[in-house]
Amino acid sequence: MSILALGLNHKTAPVEIREKVTFGPDIIAGALRSLQENPAVKETVILSTCNRTEVYCILNEEDHEPLADWISRFHGLPSDRVMPYLYSHFGLDAVKHLLRVSCGLDSLVLGEPQILGQVKAAYQTATDTGTTGKLLYKLFQHAFSAAKQIRTDTNIGNSPVSVAFAAVSLAKQIFSDLSEQTALLIGAGETVELAARHLSQNGIGRIIVANRTVERAHQLAAQFEGYAIALTEISNHLAEADIVISSTASPLPVLGKGTVESALKERKHRPIFMVDIAVPRDIEPEVADLSDIYLYTVDDMDEVIQENMRSREEAAEQAEEIIEHYVDDYMGWLRSLDAVELIQDYRGCAEQLRDEVMKKALQQLAKGKSPEEAIRFIAHTLTNKLLHTPSTQMRQAGFNGQIELLEAANTLFQIKKTDNKT
């Protein structure tokens, strides 16, 4: 068996590729079951976020080509459209990759905390679907524990650096005084909530929250004295917005070029700053062609993020050391599984010998032998039977000059020298 991490992320693939291979909530269970049908796959988890799509598998063999092809086929894409952007990690490297991802060390924003919740949700979905087992259970528990310790023991989460923070920082560069501006937030997930929090802390004038579920929009808007609307009402309120930040799970754009053009006319071409954090994108790319529109995607946030992440680099070095410890621990546990079957067989043999000797001892008692004689028979016979094969093998190892085997036997049996003098 081997562990595989296969996928693509913001480092290897542009947003126009990433958005084509996402696994939304409505299809991920079916995707997990489809992947599990591959005879090489024993366990699997799919992680799909704005910045990455990754498949974690326990395989019967080290052959990931069919799985890479599966990603393309599942999304109806030619293999050569996806393959150039894929990376794969096996064994120890796969374990380390998952731990680094869970701790935010592989994120667009170094150390961002949202990814841990996304990893936990991905694992829970796979567990609910029935595609995980004890190997991935142990692996993901290690990832969660490592992330928790890194948050506790390092300062990696102390600086407010995230895609949402970067978006608000950029808005502050464009609008010197946010108190005069209105922000329209599309979606009501963690990223949008974080953006709302940063906007509020920077004194935004008004917040409008648009979401498919209006009740959830109301809950979020109420925290920041804003008001909520449905996605279908965006066209009626877009002209009020100076800032638009969008992050939904919609498979199709929720804001088109025509709607934005109408809003600009109503605003008399006062500019609108837009940030599309979603993958697939929420805002049609053609919107960027309009005058008075400043549209940024997650990929455009990189420069802003780089300026705000330097304080986390030292903490990241400490985090890497913690990760190494957890990787070593998991790999040690994985190697220990190889001994489980041997231990079970060894115990089975010993128990079989015990039963045979006990049976004979009971027969002796039935024939009138004393308990003391029966006990002596058990001790003598069982000792001889248990020691016969190891003694024979060690004697042969000495004859063959296999010193390493003798040293291993000494380590295995923890043999202590005894004084035979009387």
Side-chain angles (χ1 to χ4, degrees):
M1 289 187 297
S2 62
I3 304 171
L4 167 69
L6 173 71
L8 49 78
N9 62 18
H10 60 281
K11 298 176 184 176
T12 68
V15 65
E16 56 265 25
I17 296 297
R18 300 200 305 271
E19 67 185 0
K20 287 181 170 59
V21 294
T22 56
F23 294 89
D26 55 330
I27 65 170
I28 193 164
L32 285 163
R33 285 189 287 266
S34 171
L35 188 53
Q36 191 81 346
E37 291 173 359
N38 188 311
V41 177
K42 290 180 65 67
E43 304 176 32
T44 188
V45 171
I46 296 176
L47 173 64
S48 186
T49 73
C50 295
N51 290 320
R52 72 181 64 248
T53 291
E54 293 179 337
V55 174
Y56 293 90
C57 293
I58 302 298
L59 300 179
N60 292 315
E61 55 193 36
E62 290 195 8
D63 184 5
H64 70 276
E65 289 299 331
L67 299 189
D69 185 60
W70 173 86
I71 292 176
S72 302
R73 284 188 290 102
F74 188 89
H75 292 284
L77 299 170
S79 293
D80 59 4
R81 188 89 170 95
V82 178
M83 290 285 193
Y85 303 101
L86 291 176
Y87 48 79
S88 60
H89 304 287
F90 279 104
L92 183 148
D93 291 336
V95 173
K96 186 173 183 178
H97 180 73
L98 174 62
L99 267 62
R100 295 187 78 254
V101 168
S102 301
C103 299
L105 298 184
D106 194 58
S107 296
L108 174 62
V109 180
L110 180 65
E112 58 98 0
Q114 288 81 18
I115 185 63
L116 178 59
Q118 293 167 330
V119 173
K120 286 183 175 180
Y123 175 75
Q124 189 60 54
T125 298
T127 299
D128 293 343
T129 308
T131 61
T132 60
K134 70 175 183 179
L135 298 186
L136 285 185
Y137 168 78
K138 190 77 170 181
L139 175 56
F140 276 79
Q141 293 307 312
H142 267 60
F144 303 152
S145 296
K148 181 178 179 181
Q149 183 177 343
I150 286 169
R151 291 287 158 192
T152 302
D153 295 354
T154 75
N155 294 321
I156 198 164
N158 290 355
S159 301
V161 182
S162 65
V163 174
F165 179 81
V168 175
S169 297
L170 202 53
K172 287 168 61 180
Q173 294 178 25
I174 295 174
F175 303 101
S176 57
D177 184 7
L178 293 185
S179 65
E180 300 295 323
Q181 313 305 320
T182 294
L184 169 62
L185 306 181
I186 306 175
E190 288 185 12
T191 301
V192 168
E193 182 174 352
L194 193 57
R197 198 169 305 282
H198 287 312
L199 286 166
S200 178
Q201 291 170 352
N202 284 276
I204 190 69
R206 284 196 311 154
I207 290 179
I208 304 170
V209 180
N211 193 49
R212 192 176 306 281
T213 306
V214 180
E215 181 181 354
R216 172 64 184 129
H218 275 298
Q219 292 173 353
L220 180 56
Q223 298 180 45
F224 306 101
E225 299 181 355
Y227 66 96
I229 62 173
L231 290 183
T232 53
E233 299 179 88
I234 288 177
S235 59
N236 298 328
H237 294 271
L238 185 58
E240 302 171 38
D242 305 290
I243 299 167
V244 176
I245 300 177
S246 187
S247 179
T248 77
S250 174
L252 299 172
V254 298
L255 196 56
K257 184 178 180 181
T259 301
V260 177
E261 284 179 317
S262 299
L264 284 174
K265 289 179 182 178
E266 190 174 340
R267 288 173 60 84
K268 298 182 179 178
H269 292 278
R270 283 183 294 116
I272 303 176
F273 168 65
M274 295 183 169
V275 179
D276 187 354
I277 301 173
V279 178
R281 284 173 285 188
D282 282 339
I283 302 173
E284 288 184 350
E286 293 78 12
V287 169
D289 299 332
L290 297 174
S291 300
D292 306 311
I293 291 293
Y294 300 91
L295 175 61
Y296 294 80
T297 67
V298 286
D299 290 354
D300 299 320
M301 295 290 100
D302 188 55
E303 184 177 345
V304 178
I305 290 167
Q306 292 299 325
E307 295 174 0
N308 292 280
M309 66 183 281
R310 292 188 182 92
S311 62
R312 296 193 174 193
E313 291 177 353
E314 183 178 345
E317 293 179 8
Q318 298 172 326
E320 295 284 6
E321 294 177 5
I322 293 172
I323 285 174
E324 288 295 338
H325 166 75
Y326 278 92
V327 170
D328 290 344
D329 189 66
Y330 179 78
M331 295 305 293
W333 173 82
L334 201 60
R335 287 190 296 270
S336 73
L337 297 181
D338 295 335
V340 170
E341 186 175 350
L342 178 62
I343 292 170
Q344 290 174 340
D345 291 343
Y346 182 65
R347 290 183 66 90
C349 290
E351 289 167 357
Q352 183 178 351
L353 288 173
R354 175 203 64 197
D355 293 343
E356 291 173 357
V357 174
M358 282 293 295
K359 182 179 179 181
K360 291 179 180 179
L362 290 171
Q363 289 172 347
Q364 291 179 359
L365 287 172
K367 292 177 180 179
K369 293 279 188 180
S370 69
E372 182 179 350
E373 287 178 302
I375 290 172
R376 288 184 182 280
F377 171 78
I378 292 172
H380 175 76
T381 306
L382 196 56
T383 299
N384 283 342
K385 285 183 175 291
L386 287 174
L387 294 180
H388 174 72
T389 299
S391 298
T392 302
Q393 293 300 317
M394 283 190 283
R395 190 178 296 111
Q396 187 65 40
F399 180 84
N400 295 334
Q402 295 174 289
I403 304 302
E404 298 86 353
L405 185 56
L406 292 174
E407 291 175 348
N410 191 34
T411 300
L412 184 64
F413 294 113
Q414 293 291 290
I415 301 169
K416 296 180 180 179
K417 292 183 178 180
T418 57
D419 190 352
N420 293 323
K421 293 180 181 180
T422 57

